[in-house]
Amino acid sequence: MQIMNMKLSDIHPYEKESRFDVVTNSIKEFGWHSPIVVDKEHVIVCGRTRFKAAQKLGLEEAPAVVAADLTPEPEACEDVVMGRGRSLDPAQ
């Protein structure tokens, strides 16, 4: 890997639709199929892209699940997506 200074005019975004655009368009066209998952403090555990998409669409509400036993660690979202149970006790 090489790090160098480049002119911003020489840098361009990826031309295909981003995941954010796909999620935004999906919510707009088909509605919600997966809720945002938040912890007991309402911090997003899983669904950051859905949250941002809802904001972009000007929505004031979104379906959400309060998972009081989870924390906003990246592993928690993976556990939710993979359907794995998870202990919050690090000794287990």
Side-chain angles (χ1 to χ4, degrees):
M1 176 170 60
Q2 179 183 3
I3 299 174
M4 61 183 172
N5 288 327
M6 294 181 67
K7 293 181 181 179
L8 292 178
S9 60
D10 291 340
I11 300 171
H12 52 86
Y14 185 64
E15 303 232 352
K16 292 187 178 179
E17 203 171 32
S18 70
R19 173 162 168 70
F20 175 76
D21 292 332
V22 169
V23 171
T24 302
N25 292 337
S26 176
I27 291 171
K28 184 177 180 179
E29 187 172 345
F30 305 111
W32 292 87
H33 291 282
S34 298
I36 297 168
V37 179
V38 298
D39 68 8
K40 64 184 174 188
E41 303 296 326
H42 297 176
V43 175
I44 297 172
V45 173
C46 193
R48 290 166 187 82
T49 302
R50 284 170 269 166
F51 174 78
K52 293 287 188 182
Q55 287 181 314
K56 180 179 179 180
L57 291 169
L59 303 178
E60 293 185 19
E61 293 184 341
V65 172
V66 178
D69 60 332
L70 295 179
T71 62
E73 300 168 20
E75 299 83 18
C77 182
E78 183 179 331
D79 289 343
V80 169
V81 171
M82 299 303 290
R84 296 187 293 232
R86 176 169 175 229
S87 172
L88 297 178
D89 181 359
Q92 292 183 351

